[in-house]
Amino acid sequence: MRKIIVAALILCVALTGVAVAKTIKIGAIYPLTGPIASTGLRCKYAVEVALKIINEAHPELKGIPLAETAGLPNLGGAKIKVVFADSQAKPDVGKAEAERLITQEKVIALVGAYQSAVSKPASFVAERYKIPFVCGASSSAALTERGLKYFFRIAPTDATDSVGFLKFLKWLSRKTGKPIKTIGVFYENTEFGKHAALEAKKAAKKMGFKVVADVPYTFGSTNLNAEVQKLKAANPDAILVASLIGDFTLFVKTCKQLDYAPPISLSYCGGFQDPSFIKNVGKDADYWCGSQSFAKDLLPKMPLLAKVNEMFKKLAKGDYDGPTLEITHAVLVLAQAINLAGSTDGDKIRAVLAKTEFPMPLAIAGKVKFGPGGQNIYAETVIQQIQNGKYVTVYPENLASAKLVYPMPAWGKRK
């Protein structure tokens, strides 16, 4: 009788082992509290959408890798669990959380951290432990110029955006017959802002633009009057802006207060792209421009993205923006790499990330591949302008859904 009971227990354990798939833990670091907490929560929702696609069967999303199955097929249907950590928008906190996630939570990979200033130290920790770090949205070009082996980035860099912005201004000059010769740069004094400004000035010199205003400010400022006055006094033909949501909102309010409307303003990722900007300033959001890797007016041409955007809206109560969509991409690509590796070993996952071209129908280019330094060589954006409270694509011409309003109307001449 005793042998029968033992055999039954063994069989039960065995059956349980088959029925209950392994759970794979990855860590996610975002600013869930602090000055950009609203953006951090949107980042969290973007991760959760990716988890739903990976862990649940979604036959209606056929075409998105891992969507039709529940879990990772090559690991016996293992589900991915994300352990979230709060950077508080502080680099030192983000670094400490990366250490904690790896050593205490035993995560096998990291995603994060939205801010370049946080992604930089956090990814150094991952490199030390040989843990893959897939970054969705941090844009400082320097991040993929450090020679790291375990760092990979989905988003375009500030270098590619800088060149894209100036090509757009040259196109605009030809289109309107009004030469655009001078630019101003306005940026937060952080890893993100300083490198965006550096790339803007480098591209301007190479492409024949004169930088007449170089205006940094402290991240999280409560007053930008002096900085906006500098821009107004220099009166550049165009300005390039690197600010996150709180600062960009204050910047626009200050521009209105001081009656400064640049002919055209182009923003790197961050504040402009966050839909909270429109809620924050209402009609005053109109006519500002910036790069976007998510364009709602392209959804009719991208039906899978339209469906996934609806999943995101249920959580975030609003559409994707560029950075949040890139974060969903990051988790989906990381899951594909783990599945293809058939292993939770960091070196094996890294090897797949480094050599594979990943299909990504949610991206404008439709695919992701990491080049030297871990940069996605297929990262693409469009230029959008806010018109009547909505983001519309104005460039390139073949994707445009609306005509650019240029120059930006003076504050006193708006309806």
Side-chain angles (χ1 to χ4, degrees), residues 339-398:
N339 187 57
L340 289 171
S343 168
T344 58
D345 179 79
D347 284 322
K348 291 181 179 178
I349 298 168
R350 181 216 164 268
V352 173
L353 287 166
K355 71 180 182 183
T356 306
E357 181 171 293
F358 299 92
M360 184 49 66
L362 306 181
I364 294 173
K367 53 191 174 183
V368 169
K369 183 171 175 55
F370 300 109
Q375 175 58 37
N376 175 17
I377 62 174
Y378 294 129
E380 287 187 22
T381 60
V382 296
I383 289 180
Q384 292 199 308
Q385 183 177 51
I386 299 173
Q387 297 180 6
N388 299 314
K390 296 180 179 178
Y391 293 93
V392 294
T393 301
V394 295
Y395 182 84
E397 285 182 292
N398 64 321

Side-chain angles (χ1 to χ4, degrees), residues 1-340:
M1 177 60 73
R2 185 178 178 184
K3 289 182 178 179
I4 294 174
I5 294 173
V6 171
L9 287 171
I10 292 172
L11 179 61
C12 180
V13 170
L15 288 173
T16 303
V18 171
V20 181
K22 183 180 177 183
T23 297
I24 295 171
K25 290 206 294 187
I26 64 174
I29 305 169
Y30 293 105
L32 302 177
T33 61
I36 52 172
S38 62
T39 300
L41 286 174
R42 288 175 54 80
C43 296
K44 182 173 182 284
Y45 296 141
V47 171
E48 291 173 347
V49 168
L51 289 183
K52 285 181 176 290
I53 294 172
I54 297 161
N55 290 338
E56 302 169 6
H58 287 277
E60 77 279 10
L61 298 179
K62 182 180 181 181
I64 300 175
L66 302 176
E68 292 182 87
T69 56
L72 305 182
N74 293 350
L75 286 102
K79 304 290 175 42
I80 289 184
K81 177 184 178 182
V82 171
V83 183
F84 287 98
D86 179 12
S87 72
Q88 303 173 32
K90 299 175 181 176
D92 57 334
V93 176
K95 179 183 177 182
E97 286 298 279
E99 185 95 25
R100 182 184 67 81
L101 287 170
I102 295 170
T103 60
Q104 297 181 30
E105 296 289 347
K106 306 298 182 185
V107 301
I108 61 141
L110 291 173
V111 295
Y114 182 69
Q115 299 160 277
S116 296
V118 178
S119 293
K120 184 178 180 179
S123 57
F124 274 132
V125 175
E127 187 81 6
R128 178 154 48 89
Y129 286 98
K130 298 185 177 181
I131 294 291
F133 188 117
V134 183
C135 173
S138 303
S139 61
S140 170
L143 291 175
T144 44
E145 297 170 352
R146 298 175 293 170
L148 300 189
K149 293 183 177 179
Y150 293 82
F151 182 79
F152 301 89
R153 171 171 45 195
I154 299 291
T157 72
D158 300 326
T160 53
D161 268 351
S162 293
V163 172
F165 286 159
L166 297 187
K167 284 182 177 178
F168 167 72
L169 293 179
K170 284 186 173 292
W171 167 82
L172 188 57
S173 293
R174 293 193 300 271
K175 193 79 174 178
T176 61
K178 299 175 182 176
I180 298 173
K181 298 180 178 179
T182 61
I183 65 170
V185 286
F186 177 80
Y187 54 97
E188 60 178 51
N189 195 12
T190 65
E191 178 80 14
F192 160 50
K194 287 189 291 186
H195 281 89
L198 180 68
E199 297 297 341
K201 288 181 277 189
K202 190 191 304 181
K205 183 177 181 180
K206 188 174 182 180
M207 298 174 70
F209 291 87
K210 184 178 181 181
V211 179
V212 296
D214 183 351
V215 185
Y217 69 89
T218 301
F219 171 64
S221 291
T222 56
N223 188 307
L224 294 171
N225 286 5
E227 289 82 0
V228 173
Q229 288 284 19
K230 286 182 183 177
L231 283 175
K232 186 177 181 180
N235 193 29
D237 296 328
I239 63 170
L240 274 55
V241 179
S243 297
L244 300 184
I245 183 63
D247 294 339
F248 191 59
T249 297
L250 178 61
F251 171 65
V252 171
K253 289 181 176 178
T254 306
C255 285
K256 183 179 183 181
Q257 179 187 344
L258 299 179
D259 193 26
Y260 172 57
I264 189 161
S265 169
L266 295 164
S267 285
Y268 296 88
C269 74
F272 167 81
Q273 297 181 344
D274 190 329
S276 301
F277 170 58
I278 297 175
K279 296 177 183 176
N280 291 348
V281 300
K283 291 183 178 179
D284 293 342
D286 280 355
Y287 314 120
W288 300 89
C289 298
S291 61
Q292 283 274 26
S293 55
F294 171 77
K296 189 174 180 180
D297 49 5
L298 295 183
L299 291 183
K301 300 176 183 177
M302 303 177 72
L304 285 174
L305 177 56
K307 291 177 181 177
V308 176
N309 186 51
E310 289 302 312
M311 296 171 67
F312 181 77
K313 285 171 67 175
K314 287 181 180 177
L315 297 173
K317 311 303 179 190
D319 296 306
Y320 270 118
D321 54 41
T324 48
L325 180 59
E326 289 155 355
I327 288 166
T328 296
H329 291 175
V331 180
L332 291 174
V333 165
L334 176 58
Q336 287 183 66
I338 296 170
N339 187 57
L340 289 171

